[in-house]
Amino acid sequence: MTPTLSVETPTDNEIVMTREFSAPRGLVFKAMTQAEHIREWWGWSDWTMPVCEMDCRPGGSYRFLGRGPNGEEVPFKGDVLEVEEPSRIVYTEIFDVAPYNQGEPSVVTTVFEDLGGSRTRIVVTCRYENKMVRDAVLETGMERGAAHSYDRLADLLERIS
């Protein structure tokens, strides 16, 4: 796998991740918003995903639970705020483990850019309550985990296109 994810911190409370895929925008949107596909790429390859629920509509919600080979668990949940298929989705995100689940949830906006020629760029902006929360998220290894997940997504897109 190659380093294909760009991660920036343009403000004190934001993380912006950018990644390109060799797949049409509609397919990338589908793979990132339907539980049957999310289960295939989200998290580390040696983990299982015993819970993967996604109701991708405004007012819907989601819940993910990744389980590692040693039994460790990584739970996420949130509410879907906006959906403009296939170009944009906005949702809240809570890493449901103390102390990360305290305070306001982060707000994640994913924009799907059609680059033509069956190429798509996603720009994922995660907005946190403050710099302290943003920095705590970065310290969890989020960048490495996201890069691995997006590499797995790229592999999935090749298989389902």
Side-chain angles (χ1 to χ4, degrees), residues 10-15 126-132 134:
T11 69
D12 282 350
N13 68 330
E14 288 182 319
I15 298 171
C126 307
R127 194 173 62 247
Y128 300 94
E129 189 174 359
N130 55 47
K131 184 181 187 313
M132 183 178 73
R134 183 206 66 185

Side-chain angles (χ1 to χ4, degrees), residues 42-135:
W42 188 85
W44 295 100
S45 51
D46 61 346
W47 286 50
T48 61
M49 196 168 187
V51 177
C52 183
E53 302 167 355
M54 172 60 98
D55 181 4
C56 188
R57 63 180 172 80
S61 63
Y62 70 93
R63 195 165 68 105
F64 303 154
L65 174 65
R67 184 171 294 140
N70 298 321
E72 63 273 38
E73 294 186 339
V74 180
F76 284 88
K77 66 181 181 180
D79 297 314
V80 178
L81 305 176
E82 301 173 34
V83 178
E84 297 172 27
E85 186 175 348
S87 59
R88 186 171 181 266
I89 182 169
V90 180
Y91 57 91
T92 62
E93 181 178 78
I94 297 170
F95 178 39
D96 207 13
V97 173
Y100 306 104
N101 60 356
Q102 310 300 309
E104 295 296 314
S106 60
V107 176
V108 179
T109 302
T110 302
V111 174
F112 300 79
E113 299 175 359
D114 184 349
L115 301 178
S118 292
R119 292 205 46 87
T120 302
R121 175 185 301 123
I122 62 167
V123 179
V124 182
T125 302
C126 307
R127 194 173 62 247
Y128 300 94
E129 189 174 359
N130 55 47
K131 184 181 187 313
M132 183 178 73
V133 173
R134 183 206 66 185
D135 291 349

